[in-house]
């Protein structure tokens, strides 16, 4: 029977999705008693809007920085922990803390750390003789400061996924590699670890990608997209349009654009999965 | 080719002694099987020979050279693993080529992308291709070179693992239960293939297994390991016919040897189940165990025969086993008979005997004790009982 699963899928996924798409063709405003169909006007508005392009570019920049860094660092930390000795559990817990902590609360901690006058970061920079930045208030650094927080937050989760992947690599493969003459950490990594982590890596990249596209809490708490839209990202624009300016129709159009990107990522993942990254 | 010598090899994991002083000399070109129940340390010993595991004390010599601290690949031994340990992302060709690439290419030539620009790479790669194809032809893998291990059957994977081992022409081969993941029919087939491979390569083979049929059929010598010690080394026939320890007698041979409680009397006579045997021994008086292989048990009445009840019959086509429950022994005694003869009914009473030459007696500590028939009895086949 497919009916129960299909019903649930319609109710929970397809229904709301179609609702959003339909809404993006209207001029509906939150709370207003009526609306009218305006066709593609929202999309025309959007593509003509400088803020949309800015927030799209910022989002893509954010993804392009956070995904490689969080994946590479997550893998590096996982490899270090796996090769380490007695303190393994301890390290694992510490690196996983940012994942468990509420990001909003953590954002406030970061706000203190990045504070221009009495923040820890600038304090350290002063200590070694550098001029600090007003990290979150400077349009040159705001987006990158958010990227660092994003990497910090995603790293622990990626590490746990990579650790699980590392544990499932059969030990005998390393023995075979040793017998075959793969000396040294790099040769072993190239011959066994990296290829065997293939499925995990695809998953980690896609998950990190989707989560980076969704970046919102840090932006909302720390910069509100500023200064002068330099850290404006897609979901934040969507939030502002829908819930501060009550332009629900326009917000829905932005959502559709966002969904297209997430869908693309998902398609890339399933294409890679079918291309035999999974081993029988 | 290699002679492998082990002197006083010990291995301890967290205060648990796994190997308790192994002395073993494996001759050049020999096929030796290490057998023993699981947990006896045979795989650990193999890993120490391979260099995958350091010994706690003692030394390993290959061709007279001490190899402590020598990397596994530099010992020039190949190993075939129980799970085959093929690289799942590489094709059959690449799997077999890995040991050659690791040896013949410099580290620079193995680098991704830039390695392709290395001047020597092309020539070396052609040499590798020739060698891999030669081995593939030898193992009938030529048609499968492009496949991934996941697309192969168990027997084919096994062959790829062997191919990866022989392609670099090592001096010795180490096999860690290589056939235990195959189904019974294929196992028999691969047994013959491996024995043939040994005749062909004339290299030293060290073969770890818990399956005594593999050890008996392929190897020139068997080393029986029990609880971290080599208890007996000898040809398969010797180990089977002449076990030096009751644990060897019980481990080698399927079904298990029949063990009956016995007594060595003050006058050096031997008794089993309260019946006197026409056998003498030089061992000190005390309790002992009298063992007889199932195929040496004889059915039928006679003076002093052991009486019992048939509890179970196993008809295997070419042979049949009769399980006989006897008073004072927990396990039933087994007798192997030809299925041509009339098999007794389950539940019926039966009498068992055995000839003097079939008796293998062990003292209370499990050591073999010599028994002799008194001088007056000259017929070898004279029954000890019945």
């Amino acid at each position: 029977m497919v009916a129960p699963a299909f019903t649930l899928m319609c109710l929970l996924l397809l229904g709301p999705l179609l609702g959003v798409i339909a809404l993006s063709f209207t001029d509906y405003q939150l709370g207003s008693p009526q609306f009218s169909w305006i066709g593609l006007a929202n999309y025309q508005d959007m593509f003509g809007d400088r803020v949309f392009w800015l927030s799209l570019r910022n989002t893509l920049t954010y993804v392009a920085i956070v995904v490689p860094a969080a994946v590479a660092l997550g893998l590096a930390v996982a490899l270090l922990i796996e090769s380490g000795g007695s303190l393994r559990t301890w390290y694992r817990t510490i690196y996983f803390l940012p994942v468990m902590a509420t990001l909003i609360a953590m954002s406030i901690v970061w706000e203190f750390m990045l504070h221009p006058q009495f923040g820890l970061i600038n304090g350290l920079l002063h200590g070694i003789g550098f001029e600090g930045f007003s990290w979150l208030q400077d349009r040159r650094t705001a987006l990158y400061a958010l990227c660092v927080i994003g990497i910090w937050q995603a790293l622990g989760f990626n590490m746990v996924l990579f650790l699980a992947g590392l544990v499932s690599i059969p030990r005998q493969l390393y023995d075979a590699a040793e017998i075959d003459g793969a000396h040294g950490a790099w040769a072993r990594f190239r011959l066994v670890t990296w290829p065997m982590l293939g499925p995990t890596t695809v998953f980690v990249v896609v998950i990190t990608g989707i989560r980076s596209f969704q970046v919102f809490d840090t932006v909302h708490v720390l910069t509100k997209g500023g200064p002068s839209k330099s850290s404006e990202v897609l979901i934040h624009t969507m939030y502002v349009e829908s819930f501060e300016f009550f332009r629900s129709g326009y917000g829905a159009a932005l959502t559709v654009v966002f969904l297209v990107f997430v869908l693309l990522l998902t398609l890339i993942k399933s294409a890679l999965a079918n291309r035999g990254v999974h081993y029988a | 080719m290699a002679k492998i010598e082990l002197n006083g090899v010990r291995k301890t994991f967290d205060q648990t002694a796994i190997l308790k002083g192994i002395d073993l000399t494996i001759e050049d070109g020999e096929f030796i099987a290490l057998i023993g129940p699981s947990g006896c340390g045979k795989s650990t010993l193999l890993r120490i020979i391979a260099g995958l595991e350091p010994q706690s004390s003692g030394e390993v010599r290959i061709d007279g050279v001490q190899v402590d601290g020598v990397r596994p690949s530099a010992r020039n031994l190949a190993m075939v693993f129980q799970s085959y340990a093929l690289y799942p992302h590489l094709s059959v060709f690449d799997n077999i080529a890995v040991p050659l690439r690791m040896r013949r290419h410099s580290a620079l030539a193995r680098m991704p992308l830039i390695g392709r620009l290395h001047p020597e790479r092309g020539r070396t790669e052609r040499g590798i291709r020739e060698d891999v194809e030669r081995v593939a032809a030898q193992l009938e893998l030529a048609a499968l070179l492009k496949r991934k291990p996941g697309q192969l059957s168990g027997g084919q994977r096994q062959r790829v693992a062997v191919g990866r081992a022989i392609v670099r022409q090592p001096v010795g081969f180490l096999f860690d239960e290589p056939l235990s993941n195959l189904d019974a029919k294929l196992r028999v087939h691969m047994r013959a293939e491996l024995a043939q491979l040994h005749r062909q390569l004339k290299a030293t083979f060290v073969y770890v297994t818990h399956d005594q049929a593999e050890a008996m059929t392929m190897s020139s010598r068997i080393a029986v390991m029990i609880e971290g010690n080599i208890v007996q080394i000898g040809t398969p026939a010797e180990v089977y016919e002449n076990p030096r320890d009751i644990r060897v007698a019980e481990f080698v041979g399927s079904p298990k040897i029949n063990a009956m409680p016995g007594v060595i009397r003050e006058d050096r006579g031997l008794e089993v189940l309260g019946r006197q045997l026409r056998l003498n021994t030089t061992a000190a008086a005390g309790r002992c165990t009298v063992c007889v292989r199932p195929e040496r048990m004889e059915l039928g009445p006679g003076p002093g025969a052991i009486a019992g009840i048939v509890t179970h019959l196993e008809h295997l086509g070419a042979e049949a086993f009769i399980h006989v429950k006897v008073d004072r022994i927990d396990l039933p005694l087994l007798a192997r008979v030809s299925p041509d003869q009339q098999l007794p009914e389950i539940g019926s009473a039966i009498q068992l005997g055995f000839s003097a030459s079939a008796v293998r007696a062990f003292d209370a500590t499990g050591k073999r004790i010599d028994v002799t028939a008194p001088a007056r009895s000259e017929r070898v086949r004279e029954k000890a009982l019945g």
Side-chain angles (χ1 to χ4, degrees), chain A residues 172 175 177-178 180 183 191 195, chain B residues 47 71 73 83 86-89:
Chain A
Q172 286 198 326
D175 290 344
E178 184 70 54
D180 286 343
H183 301 312
L191 183 62
Chain B
R47 291 172 61 83
R71 294 208 76 122
S73 55
S83 64
L86 300 176
Y87 308 112
H89 58 289

Side-chain angles (χ1 to χ4, degrees), chain B residues 230-269:
Chain B
I230 293 187
V231 184
Q232 189 171 359
I233 309 173
T235 62
E238 207 175 289
V239 171
Y240 185 79
E241 278 301 321
N242 219 349
R244 304 310 308 165
D245 191 293
I246 191 163
R247 293 171 297 178
V248 176
E250 290 189 331
F251 184 73
V252 178
S254 172
K256 212 166 115 176
I257 200 164
N258 293 308
M260 294 162 276
V263 174
I264 305 167
R265 292 189 319 229
E266 292 295 342
D267 66 356
R268 306 293 189 206

Side-chain angles (χ1 to χ4, degrees), chain B residues 7-291:
Chain B
N7 293 321
V9 171
R10 288 170 191 277
K11 179 72 186 177
T12 325
F13 283 116
D14 303 332
Q15 288 161 23
T16 316
I18 305 293
L19 298 174
K20 301 168 183 167
I22 302 284
D23 296 302
L24 177 65
T25 302
I26 302 164
E27 297 298 334
D28 180 19
E30 188 179 15
F31 194 139
I32 192 165
L34 299 176
I35 65 169
S38 39
C40 72
K42 53 192 192 300
S43 288
T44 309
L45 185 61
L46 197 72
R47 291 172 61 83
I48 287 174
I49 297 175
L52 293 171
E53 200 103 55
Q55 66 269 32
S56 304
S57 67
E59 61 168 12
V60 180
R61 287 173 176 276
I62 297 174
D63 273 340
V65 182
Q66 193 176 334
V67 292
D68 300 336
V70 175
R71 294 208 76 122
S73 55
R75 298 185 181 197
N76 208 5
L77 301 170
M79 189 155 168
V80 176
F81 296 88
Q82 181 175 2
S83 64
Y84 320 131
L86 300 176
Y87 308 112
H89 58 289
L90 297 180
S91 66
V92 170
F93 179 93
D94 290 329
N95 261 290
I96 299 177
V98 164
L100 299 181
R101 289 195 173 132
M102 288 294 166
R103 255 143 230 270
R104 296 188 190 167
H105 285 316
S106 62
L108 193 64
R110 285 202 311 268
M111 289 293 276
L113 300 175
I114 29 173
R116 295 193 182 280
L117 305 172
H118 197 271
E120 292 292 306
R121 196 187 145 96
R123 186 145 35 95
T124 319
E125 196 62 24
R126 272 195 296 283
I128 290 172
R129 172 160 291 277
E130 275 169 28
D131 284 353
V132 172
E133 280 168 357
R134 177 177 48 79
V135 165
Q138 187 184 348
L139 294 169
E140 294 167 28
L141 290 169
L144 307 171
L145 284 176
K146 289 205 174 70
R147 298 232 194 132
K148 294 275 172 72
Q151 299 165 301
L152 302 179
S153 70
Q156 290 166 334
R157 282 182 216 184
Q158 172 70 65
R159 250 194 284 251
V160 176
V162 170
R164 188 174 64 180
I166 66 177
V167 73
R168 63 189 166 98
Q169 299 172 317
V171 293
F173 290 88
L174 309 174
F175 292 91
D176 189 7
E177 312 215 7
L179 303 185
S180 51
N181 284 357
L182 300 178
D183 62 58
K185 205 172 152 191
L186 202 54
R187 211 177 303 163
V188 175
H189 176 72
M190 287 306 289
R191 234 151 61 184
E193 274 194 17
L194 283 180
Q196 204 184 341
L197 190 72
H198 176 246
R199 283 193 292 274
Q200 215 176 72
L201 298 172
K202 299 187 178 65
T204 312
F205 275 42
V206 185
Y207 191 102
V208 161
T209 179
H210 64 266
D211 182 341
Q212 35 156 324
E214 287 174 19
M216 301 288 279
T217 50
M218 293 191 287
S219 54
S220 43
R221 280 201 302 162
I222 291 180
V224 185
M225 288 187 65
I226 286 161
E227 287 166 7
N229 289 305
I230 293 187
V231 184
Q232 189 171 359
I233 309 173
T235 62
E238 207 175 289
V239 171
Y240 185 79
E241 278 301 321
N242 219 349
R244 304 310 308 165
D245 191 293
I246 191 163
R247 293 171 297 178
V248 176
E250 290 189 331
F251 184 73
V252 178
S254 172
K256 212 166 115 176
I257 200 164
N258 293 308
M260 294 162 276
V263 174
I264 305 167
R265 292 189 319 229
E266 292 295 342
D267 66 356
R268 306 293 189 206
L270 209 55
E271 267 179 25
V272 65
L273 296 168
R275 294 162 178 80
Q276 188 182 345
L277 297 174
R278 284 185 220 121
L279 288 169
N280 288 337
T281 173
T282 54
R287 302 170 67 81
C288 70
T289 310
V290 171
C291 294

Side-chain angles (χ1 to χ4, degrees), chain A residues 98-175:
Chain A
V99 184
M100 294 186 289
T102 319
L103 192 52
I104 305 248
M106 289 293 114
S107 300
I108 293 165
V109 175
W110 274 101
E111 191 171 18
F112 282 126
M113 297 220 310
L114 292 168
H115 194 279
Q117 274 89 50
F118 42 81
L120 181 66
I121 310 274
N122 276 358
L124 285 174
L125 282 177
H126 277 302
I128 54 170
F130 281 100
E131 187 73 21
F133 286 95
S134 326
W135 299 101
L136 295 169
Q137 287 78 42
D138 188 326
R139 46 187 304 184
R140 288 170 301 170
T141 55
L143 184 63
Y144 303 109
L146 292 175
C147 284
V148 170
I149 301 174
I151 294 165
W152 170 82
Q153 209 256 338
L155 189 139
F157 190 61
N158 292 352
M159 171 209 74
V160 167
L161 293 175
F162 277 123
L163 273 178
L166 283 174
V167 167
S168 67
I169 299 176
R171 306 304 313 165
Q172 286 198 326
L173 279 182
Y174 288 106
D175 290 344

